[in-house]
Amino acid sequence: MKRNNFLRSLFTAAVMFSSVAYAQVSVMLPANPGGGWDGTGRQAFNAMNKAGIYTGPVNFTNKGGAGGTIGLAEFQNTQTGKANALAVFGAITVGAITLNKSPIDLSKFKPVARLTAEYLVIAVRPDSPYQNLDDFVKALKENPGGTPVGGGSAGGVDHIALALLAQAGNVPVKDLNYIPQAGGADTVTGIVNGTLKAGISGISEFQQFAKSNRVKILGITSAQRMEGLDAPTFKEAGFDVEIANWRGILGAPEMPEENYKIWIDRFTQLNDSAEWKQVLETQGWDQFFLAGPAFGDFMKNESERINTILKDAGLVQ
């Protein structure tokens, strides 16, 4: 009888573990299909499956708009307390919450893992009078209104990077002439035809145009020089700026602690896997891993830094 009870208990424990490990996962992708957040979520779980880390079912939901705040608001309203509910988000979301006056509070979510980063570059025409980043910042200081710079959405990571550069160069942020563009190709067109004096975007947006000599890259926001890019870091050029367009994973608010730890472990295993390293190489993403409470601390610091910049730029009160 004791043996039967032991076997029954063992079977029950196995079933419970299986239900935790292979319950269907819900993943909110707060953007339209085909974008960076969409790709990050789908590629991460595909690599996780190939590596045998998590091989159960995954249900993806795309809900774009307002820098990810629409999708995250729905996620918060419908998935709070769920054991296997995750969402992809990134640096853009931090400023978008403030700009859109969203009720989302990132501190309520479970910080699972920061996964990838893409660093930003400033580009000008090849025949531009700005031969280096110092020349550009001097022009920005002398005539900020007459130095239009194109990039992504107002308050987004491109705008933030330019504002940080202005601060480092003693240029009043509120005087910047920043012109949001629909995409990187539009920014390049503006640089080439002269309507923009410079453009700022992710390296992947500009690198192909730099190789074909349509633009010249003056600097990159990474901590170290990027292999294959003939341009200094902002810090190397004398401006203490480092920022990345990072992407990561959030767990649902009030996710059970047991499941939270399981997901931290799974994404840690993913980060170390050959399958994920292949994804990073194929997609041109930089590994930028940080997990659990340390990621939560990073999010808090980023929120404070970005919101300060938005205030300095006059975008929020």
Side-chain angles (χ1 to χ4, degrees), residues 13 89 92 127 155 173 178 220 233 288 295:
F89 82 123
I92 294 169
D127 60 353
V173 175
Y178 182 79
I220 185 166
T233 67
F288 201 52
F295 180 34

Side-chain angles (χ1 to χ4, degrees), residues 205-225:
E205 297 276 10
F206 284 165
Q207 196 165 27
Q208 60 180 315
F209 298 107
K211 288 179 178 178
S212 62
N213 203 38
R214 293 190 68 193
V215 301
K216 177 174 66 177
I217 293 174
L218 300 181
I220 185 166
T221 64
S222 56
Q224 284 122 17
R225 281 205 180 207

Side-chain angles (χ1 to χ4, degrees), residues 104-116:
I104 294 168
D105 181 354
L106 287 176
S107 70
K108 302 295 184 185
F109 294 80
K110 296 288 190 178
V112 175
R114 187 185 69 187
L115 293 178
T116 66

